[in-house]
Amino acid sequence: ISSISFIITFIFLIFSSLILVNQITNPITRLSDAIEKYRKGEYDVLIKAKTEDEIGNVTNAFNEMIRYRKKAEDDLRESEERFRGIVESMADWIWEVDANGRYIYCSEKVEKILGYTPGEMIGKTPFDFMPPNEADRIGGIFTKIVAKKIPIKDLKNWNISKDGQRVCLLTN
Protein backbone atom coordinates (compact mmCIF):
# COMPACT_ATOMS: atom_id res chain seq x y z
CA ILE A 1 0.00 0.00 0.00
CA SER A 2 2.83 2.37 0.81
CA SER A 3 4.45 1.62 -2.58
CA ILE A 4 1.17 2.35 -4.37
CA SER A 5 0.74 5.56 -2.34
CA PHE A 6 4.30 6.55 -3.22
CA ILE A 7 3.74 5.89 -6.94
CA ILE A 8 0.43 7.81 -6.94
CA THR A 9 2.06 10.70 -5.09
CA PHE A 10 5.01 10.62 -7.50
CA ILE A 11 2.71 10.64 -10.55
CA PHE A 12 0.70 13.47 -9.00
CA LEU A 13 3.89 15.50 -8.43
CA ILE A 14 5.05 14.92 -12.00
CA PHE A 15 1.64 15.93 -13.36
CA SER A 16 1.56 19.01 -11.09
CA SER A 17 5.08 19.95 -12.19
CA LEU A 18 4.08 19.72 -15.84
CA ILE A 19 1.08 21.93 -15.22
CA LEU A 20 3.24 24.37 -13.25
CA VAL A 21 5.83 24.54 -16.04
CA ASN A 22 3.24 24.81 -18.80
CA GLN A 23 0.85 27.24 -17.08
CA ILE A 24 3.23 29.42 -15.05
CA THR A 25 6.94 28.98 -15.70
CA ASN A 26 6.85 28.99 -19.52
CA PRO A 27 4.61 32.10 -19.81
CA ILE A 28 6.71 33.96 -17.24
CA THR A 29 9.89 32.98 -19.11
CA ARG A 30 8.40 34.19 -22.43
CA LEU A 31 7.37 37.47 -20.79
CA SER A 32 10.77 37.86 -19.13
CA ASP A 33 12.55 37.20 -22.45
CA ALA A 34 10.34 39.77 -24.21
CA ILE A 35 11.03 42.37 -21.51
CA GLU A 36 14.77 41.77 -21.89
CA LYS A 37 14.52 42.24 -25.67
CA TYR A 38 12.52 45.44 -25.10
CA ARG A 39 15.16 46.66 -22.65
CA LYS A 40 17.80 46.10 -25.35
CA GLY A 41 15.86 48.21 -27.86
CA GLU A 42 13.72 45.66 -29.70
CA TYR A 43 10.46 47.59 -29.47
CA ASP A 44 8.33 45.38 -31.72
CA VAL A 45 8.23 42.32 -29.46
CA LEU A 46 4.73 40.90 -28.95
CA ILE A 47 3.85 37.79 -26.94
CA LYS A 48 0.90 35.50 -27.54
CA ALA A 49 -1.13 35.24 -24.34
CA LYS A 50 -2.14 31.59 -23.96
CA THR A 51 -4.21 32.02 -20.81
CA GLU A 52 -6.74 34.46 -19.42
CA ASP A 53 -5.37 34.45 -15.89
CA GLU A 54 -3.09 36.98 -14.22
CA ILE A 55 -0.13 35.99 -16.41
CA GLY A 56 -2.27 36.39 -19.52
CA ASN A 57 -3.43 39.79 -18.26
CA VAL A 58 0.17 40.93 -17.70
CA THR A 59 1.14 39.62 -21.14
CA ASN A 60 -1.77 41.48 -22.75
CA ALA A 61 -0.82 44.66 -20.86
CA PHE A 62 2.79 44.30 -22.10
CA ASN A 63 1.56 43.88 -25.68
CA GLU A 64 -0.70 46.92 -25.33
CA MET A 65 2.27 48.95 -24.06
CA ILE A 66 4.26 47.88 -27.15
CA ARG A 67 1.38 48.80 -29.48
CA TYR A 68 0.95 52.18 -27.75
CA ARG A 69 4.67 52.93 -28.08
CA LYS A 70 4.64 51.93 -31.76
CA LYS A 71 1.64 54.19 -32.44
CA ALA A 72 3.29 57.07 -30.55
CA GLU A 73 6.49 56.60 -32.60
CA ASP A 74 4.49 56.54 -35.85
CA ASP A 75 2.54 59.66 -34.83
CA LEU A 76 5.77 61.43 -33.86
CA ARG A 77 7.42 60.47 -37.16
CA GLU A 78 4.42 61.82 -39.12
CA SER A 79 4.45 65.02 -37.07
CA GLU A 80 8.19 65.49 -37.67
CA GLU A 81 7.68 64.94 -41.40
CA ARG A 82 4.91 67.58 -41.46
CA PHE A 83 7.09 70.00 -39.48
CA ARG A 84 10.04 69.49 -41.82
CA GLY A 85 7.82 69.92 -44.87
CA ILE A 86 6.46 73.20 -43.55
CA VAL A 87 9.83 74.52 -42.42
CA GLU A 88 11.71 73.55 -45.56
CA SER A 89 9.04 75.10 -47.82
CA MET A 90 9.36 78.49 -46.11
CA ALA A 91 11.59 81.21 -47.51
CA ASP A 92 12.87 82.08 -44.04
CA TRP A 93 15.64 80.47 -42.04
CA ILE A 94 14.05 78.69 -39.07
CA TRP A 95 16.24 77.90 -36.08
CA GLU A 96 16.02 76.75 -32.49
CA VAL A 97 18.47 77.10 -29.64
CA ASP A 98 18.72 75.17 -26.38
CA ALA A 99 18.79 76.64 -22.86
CA ASN A 100 22.48 77.50 -23.36
CA GLY A 101 21.75 79.47 -26.52
CA ARG A 102 23.32 76.89 -28.84
CA TYR A 103 21.67 75.97 -32.11
CA ILE A 104 19.96 72.59 -31.94
CA TYR A 105 18.06 73.01 -35.21
CA CYS A 106 18.71 75.07 -38.35
CA SER A 107 16.68 74.78 -41.53
CA GLU A 108 18.42 74.36 -44.86
CA LYS A 109 17.73 78.02 -45.72
CA VAL A 110 20.69 79.07 -43.54
CA GLU A 111 23.00 77.95 -46.32
CA LYS A 112 21.40 80.35 -48.81
CA ILE A 113 21.42 83.22 -46.28
CA LEU A 114 24.76 82.82 -44.49
CA GLY A 115 26.54 80.15 -46.54
CA TYR A 116 26.82 77.69 -43.65
CA THR A 117 25.23 74.23 -43.68
CA PRO A 118 22.92 73.39 -40.81
CA GLY A 119 25.58 70.97 -39.55
CA GLU A 120 28.10 73.81 -39.31
CA MET A 121 25.65 75.83 -37.20
CA ILE A 122 24.60 73.12 -34.73
CA GLY A 123 26.31 73.47 -31.36
CA LYS A 124 27.29 77.10 -31.94
CA THR A 125 25.53 80.23 -30.71
CA PRO A 126 24.10 83.06 -32.82
CA PHE A 127 26.89 85.26 -31.42
CA ASP A 128 29.51 83.04 -33.09
CA PHE A 129 28.31 84.44 -36.44
CA MET A 130 28.21 88.13 -35.46
CA PRO A 131 30.90 90.79 -35.40
CA PRO A 132 32.16 91.27 -31.80
CA ASN A 133 30.46 94.66 -31.23
CA GLU A 134 27.17 93.28 -32.62
CA ALA A 135 27.47 90.17 -30.43
CA ASP A 136 27.82 92.44 -27.36
CA ARG A 137 24.82 94.59 -28.37
CA ILE A 138 22.57 91.63 -29.20
CA GLY A 139 23.79 89.74 -26.11
CA GLY A 140 22.39 92.51 -23.91
CA ILE A 141 19.07 92.43 -25.76
CA PHE A 142 18.89 88.61 -25.54
CA THR A 143 19.59 88.75 -21.79
CA LYS A 144 16.57 91.05 -21.30
CA ILE A 145 14.37 88.92 -23.56
CA VAL A 146 15.27 85.73 -21.69
CA ALA A 147 14.82 87.37 -18.27
CA LYS A 148 11.38 88.68 -19.22
CA LYS A 149 10.48 85.45 -21.07
CA ILE A 150 9.13 87.39 -24.03
CA PRO A 151 9.39 86.44 -27.71
CA ILE A 152 11.97 87.99 -30.02
CA LYS A 153 10.16 90.52 -32.20
CA ASP A 154 11.63 92.43 -35.17
CA LEU A 155 15.21 92.24 -33.90
CA LYS A 156 17.67 93.51 -36.51
CA ASN A 157 21.18 92.20 -36.21
CA TRP A 158 24.28 91.86 -38.34
CA ASN A 159 25.91 88.53 -39.05
CA ILE A 160 29.00 87.50 -40.92
CA SER A 161 28.45 84.99 -43.73
CA LYS A 162 30.81 82.15 -44.47
CA ASP A 163 32.45 84.19 -47.23
CA GLY A 164 32.99 87.14 -44.83
CA GLN A 165 30.15 89.38 -46.00
CA ARG A 166 28.01 91.29 -43.49
CA VAL A 167 24.38 90.18 -43.65
CA CYS A 168 21.54 91.98 -41.84
CA LEU A 169 18.88 89.67 -40.41
CA LEU A 170 15.47 90.44 -38.97
CA THR A 171 14.65 87.92 -36.27
CA ASN A 172 11.20 87.01 -34.96
Side-chain angles (χ1 to χ4, degrees), residues 30-45:
R30 281 194 308 274
L31 185 58
S32 179
D33 291 346
I35 290 169
E36 183 60 23
K37 286 178 182 178
Y38 184 85
R39 190 185 68 75
K40 290 180 178 177
E42 294 180 40
Y43 299 122
D44 57 350
V45 178

mmCIF file of all heavy atoms in Angstrom, residues 30-45:
data_model
loop_
_atom_site.group_PDB
_atom_site.id
_atom_site.type_symbol
_atom_site.label_atom_id
_atom_site.label_comp_id
_atom_site.label_asym_id
_atom_site.label_seq_id
_atom_site.Cartn_x
_atom_site.Cartn_y
_atom_site.Cartn_z
ATOM 1 N N ARG A 30 8.639 33.468 -21.172
ATOM 2 C CA ARG A 30 8.396 34.190 -22.427
ATOM 3 C C ARG A 30 8.274 35.696 -22.174
ATOM 4 O O ARG A 30 8.842 36.512 -22.895
ATOM 5 C CB ARG A 30 7.129 33.674 -23.120
ATOM 6 C CG ARG A 30 7.325 32.384 -23.875
ATOM 7 C CD ARG A 30 6.157 32.082 -24.820
ATOM 8 N NE ARG A 30 4.845 32.142 -24.198
ATOM 9 C CZ ARG A 30 4.258 31.141 -23.550
ATOM 10 N NH1 ARG A 30 4.868 29.974 -23.428
ATOM 11 N NH2 ARG A 30 3.057 31.283 -23.027
ATOM 12 N N LEU A 31 7.546 36.059 -21.138
ATOM 13 C CA LEU A 31 7.373 37.469 -20.792
ATOM 14 C C LEU A 31 8.703 38.083 -20.382
ATOM 15 O O LEU A 31 9.058 39.180 -20.813
ATOM 16 C CB LEU A 31 6.333 37.611 -19.671
ATOM 17 C CG LEU A 31 5.956 39.020 -19.265
ATOM 18 C CD1 LEU A 31 5.416 39.810 -20.451
ATOM 19 C CD2 LEU A 31 4.935 38.982 -18.145
ATOM 20 N N SER A 32 9.463 37.378 -19.569
ATOM 21 C CA SER A 32 10.772 37.855 -19.129
ATOM 22 C C SER A 32 11.713 38.042 -20.317
ATOM 23 O O SER A 32 12.426 39.052 -20.410
ATOM 24 C CB SER A 32 11.360 36.872 -18.126
ATOM 25 O OG SER A 32 12.624 37.291 -17.705
ATOM 26 N N ASP A 33 11.710 37.091 -21.252
ATOM 27 C CA ASP A 33 12.546 37.200 -22.452
ATOM 28 C C ASP A 33 12.138 38.414 -23.294
ATOM 29 O O ASP A 33 12.986 39.140 -23.808
ATOM 30 C CB ASP A 33 12.459 35.926 -23.296
ATOM 31 C CG ASP A 33 13.125 34.722 -22.638
ATOM 32 O OD1 ASP A 33 13.880 34.914 -21.655
ATOM 33 O OD2 ASP A 33 12.875 33.584 -23.094
ATOM 34 N N ALA A 34 10.831 38.629 -23.431
ATOM 35 C CA ALA A 34 10.344 39.769 -24.210
ATOM 36 C C ALA A 34 10.731 41.087 -23.546
ATOM 37 O O ALA A 34 11.140 42.035 -24.223
ATOM 38 C CB ALA A 34 8.830 39.686 -24.376
ATOM 39 N N ILE A 35 10.641 41.151 -22.243
ATOM 40 C CA ILE A 35 11.026 42.368 -21.510
ATOM 41 C C ILE A 35 12.514 42.636 -21.704
ATOM 42 O O ILE A 35 12.933 43.780 -21.903
ATOM 43 C CB ILE A 35 10.650 42.254 -20.020
ATOM 44 C CG1 ILE A 35 9.125 42.313 -19.873
ATOM 45 C CG2 ILE A 35 11.322 43.339 -19.191
ATOM 46 C CD1 ILE A 35 8.615 41.954 -18.491
ATOM 47 N N GLU A 36 13.322 41.596 -21.679
ATOM 48 C CA GLU A 36 14.769 41.765 -21.890
ATOM 49 C C GLU A 36 15.052 42.271 -23.306
ATOM 50 O O GLU A 36 15.889 43.159 -23.497
ATOM 51 C CB GLU A 36 15.500 40.442 -21.631
ATOM 52 C CG GLU A 36 17.001 40.533 -21.752
ATOM 53 C CD GLU A 36 17.655 41.510 -20.780
ATOM 54 O OE1 GLU A 36 17.056 41.819 -19.724
ATOM 55 O OE2 GLU A 36 18.769 41.976 -21.080
ATOM 56 N N LYS A 37 14.345 41.752 -24.300
ATOM 57 C CA LYS A 37 14.516 42.237 -25.668
ATOM 58 C C LYS A 37 14.104 43.706 -25.760
ATOM 59 O O LYS A 37 14.772 44.508 -26.408
ATOM 60 C CB LYS A 37 13.685 41.401 -26.648
ATOM 61 C CG LYS A 37 14.253 40.025 -26.907
ATOM 62 C CD LYS A 37 13.354 39.245 -27.853
ATOM 63 C CE LYS A 37 13.892 37.847 -28.087
ATOM 64 N NZ LYS A 37 13.008 37.067 -28.958
ATOM 65 N N TYR A 38 13.008 44.052 -25.118
ATOM 66 C CA TYR A 38 12.524 45.436 -25.100
ATOM 67 C C TYR A 38 13.560 46.345 -24.453
ATOM 68 O O TYR A 38 13.859 47.419 -24.943
ATOM 69 C CB TYR A 38 11.190 45.507 -24.337
ATOM 70 C CG TYR A 38 10.566 46.868 -24.333
ATOM 71 C CD1 TYR A 38 9.767 47.281 -25.391
ATOM 72 C CD2 TYR A 38 10.759 47.748 -23.278
ATOM 73 C CE1 TYR A 38 9.176 48.535 -25.395
ATOM 74 C CE2 TYR A 38 10.181 48.997 -23.272
ATOM 75 C CZ TYR A 38 9.393 49.385 -24.335
ATOM 76 O OH TYR A 38 8.825 50.632 -24.336
ATOM 77 N N ARG A 39 14.140 45.880 -23.354
ATOM 78 C CA ARG A 39 15.160 46.659 -22.649
ATOM 79 C C ARG A 39 16.366 46.918 -23.548
ATOM 80 O O ARG A 39 17.004 47.958 -23.466
ATOM 81 C CB ARG A 39 15.599 45.920 -21.386
ATOM 82 C CG ARG A 39 16.479 46.742 -20.451
ATOM 83 C CD ARG A 39 16.973 45.928 -19.281
ATOM 84 N NE ARG A 39 17.909 44.885 -19.652
ATOM 85 C CZ ARG A 39 19.189 45.099 -19.996
ATOM 86 N NH1 ARG A 39 19.679 46.284 -20.027
ATOM 87 N NH2 ARG A 39 19.972 44.080 -20.301
ATOM 88 N N LYS A 40 16.650 45.972 -24.444
ATOM 89 C CA LYS A 40 17.797 46.104 -25.351
ATOM 90 C C LYS A 40 17.456 46.877 -26.624
ATOM 91 O O LYS A 40 18.292 47.000 -27.500
ATOM 92 C CB LYS A 40 18.336 44.716 -25.720
ATOM 93 C CG LYS A 40 19.014 44.020 -24.560
ATOM 94 C CD LYS A 40 19.517 42.658 -24.966
ATOM 95 C CE LYS A 40 20.237 41.981 -23.811
ATOM 96 N NZ LYS A 40 20.673 40.622 -24.160
ATOM 97 N N GLY A 41 16.220 47.371 -26.718
ATOM 98 C CA GLY A 41 15.861 48.214 -27.858
ATOM 99 C C GLY A 41 15.018 47.563 -28.928
ATOM 100 O O GLY A 41 14.724 48.181 -29.940
ATOM 101 N N GLU A 42 14.612 46.320 -28.737
ATOM 102 C CA GLU A 42 13.723 45.663 -29.703
ATOM 103 C C GLU A 42 12.289 45.993 -29.301
ATOM 104 O O GLU A 42 11.693 45.322 -28.476
ATOM 105 C CB GLU A 42 13.946 44.150 -29.702
ATOM 106 C CG GLU A 42 15.315 43.732 -30.200
ATOM 107 C CD GLU A 42 15.499 42.232 -30.184
ATOM 108 O OE1 GLU A 42 14.549 41.497 -30.539
ATOM 109 O OE2 GLU A 42 16.596 41.791 -29.789
ATOM 110 N N TYR A 43 11.744 47.060 -29.913
ATOM 111 C CA TYR A 43 10.458 47.591 -29.471
ATOM 112 C C TYR A 43 9.253 46.980 -30.173
ATOM 113 O O TYR A 43 8.139 47.416 -29.960
ATOM 114 C CB TYR A 43 10.443 49.105 -29.640
ATOM 115 C CG TYR A 43 11.506 49.785 -28.830
ATOM 116 C CD1 TYR A 43 12.457 50.587 -29.437
ATOM 117 C CD2 TYR A 43 11.573 49.616 -27.460
ATOM 118 C CE1 TYR A 43 13.444 51.213 -28.684
ATOM 119 C CE2 TYR A 43 12.558 50.226 -26.704
ATOM 120 C CZ TYR A 43 13.487 51.028 -27.331
ATOM 121 O OH TYR A 43 14.454 51.632 -26.581
ATOM 122 N N ASP A 44 9.462 45.992 -31.012
ATOM 123 C CA ASP A 44 8.334 45.381 -31.722
ATOM 124 C C ASP A 44 8.041 43.954 -31.244
ATOM 125 O O ASP A 44 7.472 43.156 -31.964
ATOM 126 C CB ASP A 44 8.582 45.406 -33.221
ATOM 127 C CG ASP A 44 9.870 44.705 -33.621
ATOM 128 O OD1 ASP A 44 10.659 44.371 -32.724
ATOM 129 O OD2 ASP A 44 10.073 44.496 -34.827
ATOM 130 N N VAL A 45 8.416 43.650 -30.025
ATOM 131 C CA VAL A 45 8.228 42.316 -29.463
ATOM 132 C C VAL A 45 6.790 42.173 -28.952
ATOM 133 O O VAL A 45 6.352 42.955 -28.123
ATOM 134 C CB VAL A 45 9.202 42.083 -28.282
ATOM 135 C CG1 VAL A 45 8.980 40.725 -27.663
ATOM 136 C CG2 VAL A 45 10.631 42.238 -28.722
#
